[in-house]
């Protein structure tokens, strides 16, 4: 028997979320972002669920090869571009589109021309200050790339630093400031891809001809201030594990490493088959919710590598073999992430290899 832990991916929810983002995107091209093993959900599984997307956007060229090998015939885009000149023939042969974000990439492209038909997008740095050319350079970059034999420039992309409505900062990289730095590009309706999930959901004033949706497709609100329900999304992953043992302890006894949890009353402590080596953060505090036999049970004691401990004193139905939801429909991943000072994105991506990914049609 494998260890009783699994991350179950809900295919129906993935499809629902895709339809939801399609509705927000209107007639714009919808790129489904499947980087980081589809945010932990499994690359090929996500590619199946997102069959109605216009294309898949990702980071690794080997992921692009994998989805092509699995039969994905629609568009593919590499968000960070290629990493080496040896990638170029693969891109050209498999019709993989690439972002171009720096001068070195242009020189490599020139040196290895001609191509059959290599589709490129120019990444513009509009204030995030990670990748991209300055808006001032965009015209020259466009001309330079267009002059390379076999290269087809598809347009411009940029990325927003703060498209969540709860970002109230007046810093240099608000959506409106990034838009104004982009100038002319921001108002074109062809060949422009600006919005991530948050901008697609909350910034209808941002136009363009394509959007890149990631987190929302997995059913998680990009802004933790809003629940999945409030933005019309369905969580697509449930992490669950079974109870391995139950300890009855008198008041004054401690549980686990560092004895962080000390029982104030006679307590029933359930030992659950999930630990930080599965991707459940060790930094989770006592009191964080889990869900078992129809009730919430708080984390009680420091999360260990292979086990965590919860207080089921008030849940008599909890027994060895009961399934504990660690995150999912009842335990929102964003809420849990907030308790340990991170975001839902990080928890989803950190699901460990040793956790089996299952799927259902919910
Ligand atoms: C990850 C990523 C996205 C998707 O962002 P979400 O917030 O998950 O929607 C879009 N564009 C780029 C360039 C990215 O790296």
């Amino acid at each position: 028997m494998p260890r009783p832990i699994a991350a179950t991916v809900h295919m129906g929810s993935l499809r629902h979320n895709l339809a939801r983002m399609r509705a927000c995107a209107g007639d714009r091209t919808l790129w489904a972002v499947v980087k980081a093993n589809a945010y932990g959900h499994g690359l090929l599984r996500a590619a199946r669920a997102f069959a109605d997307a216009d294309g898949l956007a990702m980071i690794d060229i080997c992921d692009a090869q994998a989805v092509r090998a699995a039969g994905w015939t629609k568009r593919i885009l590499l968000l960070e571009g290629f990493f080496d000149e040896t990638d170029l023939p693969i891109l050209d042969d498999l019709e993989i589109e690439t972002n171009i974000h720096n001068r070195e990439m242009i020189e490599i492209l020139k040196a290895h021309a001609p191509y059959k038909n290599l589709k490129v997008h120019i990444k513009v740095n509009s204030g995030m200050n990670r990748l991209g050319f300055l808006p001032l350079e965009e015209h020259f970059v466009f001309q330079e790339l267009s002059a390379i034999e076999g290269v087809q420039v598809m347009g411009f992309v940029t990325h927003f630093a703060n498209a969540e409505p709860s970002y109230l900062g007046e810093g240099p990289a608000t959506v409106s400031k990034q838009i104004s730095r982009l100038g002319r590009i921001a108002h074109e309706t062809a060949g422009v891809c600006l919005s991530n999930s948050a901008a697609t959901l909350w910034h209808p004033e941002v136009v363009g001809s394509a959007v890149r949706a990631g987190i929302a497709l997995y059913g998680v609100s990009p802004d933790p201030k809003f629940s999945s329900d409030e933005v019309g999304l369905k969580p697509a992953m449930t992490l669950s594990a079974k109870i391995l043992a139950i300890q009855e302890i008198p008041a004054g006894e401690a549980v686990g490493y560092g004895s962080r949890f000390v029982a104030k009353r006679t307590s029933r402590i359930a030992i659950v088959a999930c630990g930080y080596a599965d991707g459940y953060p060790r930094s989770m505090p006592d009191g964080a919710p889990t869900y078992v036999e129809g009730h919430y049970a708080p984390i009680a004691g420091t999360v260990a590598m292979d086990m965590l401990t919860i207080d089921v004193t008030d849940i008599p139905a909890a027994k060895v073999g009961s399934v504990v939801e660690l995150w999912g429909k009842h335990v929102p991943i964003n809420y849990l992430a907030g308790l340990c000072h991170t975001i839902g994105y990080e928890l989803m991506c950190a699901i460990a290899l040793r956790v089996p990914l299952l799927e259902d049609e919910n």
Side-chain angles (χ1 to χ4, degrees):
M1 270 293 281
R3 201 161 147 261
I5 179 170
T8 306
V9 175
H10 311 304
M11 300 297 277
S13 301
L14 290 176
R15 289 190 294 264
H16 166 91
N17 298 329
L18 186 82
R20 166 83 178 109
M21 295 313 283
R22 171 70 81 192
C24 293
D27 54 12
R28 291 174 289 180
T29 295
L30 176 59
W31 291 103
V33 181
V34 294
K35 61 193 179 189
N37 198 28
Y39 291 50
H41 294 64
L43 175 67
L44 297 183
R45 177 178 300 104
R48 270 190 283 126
F50 300 151
D52 289 338
D54 298 303
L56 299 178
M58 58 193 76
I59 301 290
D60 287 300
I61 191 168
C62 52
D63 287 352
Q65 291 172 290
V67 296
R68 276 282 181 258
W72 181 266
T73 54
K74 292 182 174 180
R75 299 173 70 183
I76 297 177
L77 172 63
L78 295 183
L79 294 165
E80 288 181 354
F82 59 87
F83 301 104
D84 189 85
E85 61 193 38
T86 56
D87 295 341
L88 293 173
I90 302 171
L91 301 188
D92 207 14
D93 286 341
L94 296 181
E95 295 184 44
I96 299 165
E97 303 174 35
T98 177
N99 282 346
I100 302 294
H101 62 77
N102 66 21
R103 174 130 302 277
E104 289 76 4
M105 295 172 87
I106 300 179
E107 296 309 325
I108 294 173
L109 274 179
K110 282 183 183 164
H112 295 82
Y115 305 94
K116 286 185 276 188
N117 179 21
L118 187 59
K119 294 188 168 124
V120 306
H121 303 249
I122 299 167
K123 177 106 179 186
V124 182
N125 173 13
S126 56
M128 178 78 113
N129 289 317
R130 299 190 311 185
L131 304 180
F133 299 96
L134 291 173
L136 272 176
E137 306 170 277
E138 94 217 359
H139 179 67
F140 302 102
V141 172
F142 184 94
Q143 305 252 302
E144 214 175 338
L145 285 170
S146 302
I148 305 173
E149 202 181 333
V151 167
Q152 183 183 356
V153 182
M154 305 298 288
F156 301 92
V157 302
T158 200
H159 197 42
F160 293 120
N162 303 296
E164 298 73 24
S166 66
Y167 179 80
L168 298 172
E170 265 310 308
T174 59
V175 168
S176 68
K177 285 177 184 160
Q178 288 194 251
I179 287 291
S180 85
R181 285 191 194 190
L182 281 172
R184 174 188 63 81
I185 302 176
H187 306 288
E188 281 182 13
T189 48
V192 178
C193 181
L194 309 175
S195 295
N196 55 4
S197 296
T200 307
L201 285 164
W202 290 298
H203 288 276
E205 78 281 11
V206 175
V207 290
S209 56
V211 305
R212 305 177 304 275
I215 192 86
L217 296 181
Y218 304 98
V220 176
S221 166
D223 187 329
K225 288 263 155 60
F226 297 90
S227 69
S228 299
D229 244 11
E230 284 171 306
V231 283
L233 301 169
K234 294 185 182 171
M237 181 194 285
T238 301
L239 177 65
S240 57
K242 285 186 178 171
I243 294 178
L244 296 176
I246 296 205
Q247 301 295 338
E248 309 255 1
I249 59 170
E253 281 289 302
V255 176
Y257 292 117
S259 298
R260 185 179 76 186
F261 176 85
V262 178
K264 292 200 179 66
R265 54 177 179 170
T266 300
S267 301
R268 287 177 82 228
I269 301 296
I271 320 304
V272 182
C274 175
Y276 60 78
D278 298 297
Y280 192 94
R282 183 176 175 280
S283 54
M284 202 61 80
D286 283 347
T290 67
Y291 190 79
V292 55
E293 303 291 357
H295 300 274
Y296 287 96
I299 292 283
T302 307
V303 173
M305 188 183 289
D306 312 304
M307 283 177 251
L308 56 78
T309 40
I310 60 178
D311 184 346
V312 294
T313 313
D314 300 321
I315 311 174
K319 56 183 185 302
V320 171
S322 291
V323 174
V324 180
E325 177 186 314
L326 298 160
W327 65 65
K329 196 168 156 217
H330 302 94
V331 182
I333 197 167
N334 270 344
Y335 177 71
L336 211 54
L339 294 177
C340 51
H341 310 292
T342 184
I343 53 178
Y345 292 77
E346 189 182 11
L347 298 196
M348 284 193 309
C349 301
I351 281 280
L353 263 178
R354 78 176 189 181
V355 177
L357 285 177
L358 309 179
E359 67 185 59
D360 65 22
E361 287 305 309
N362 295 338

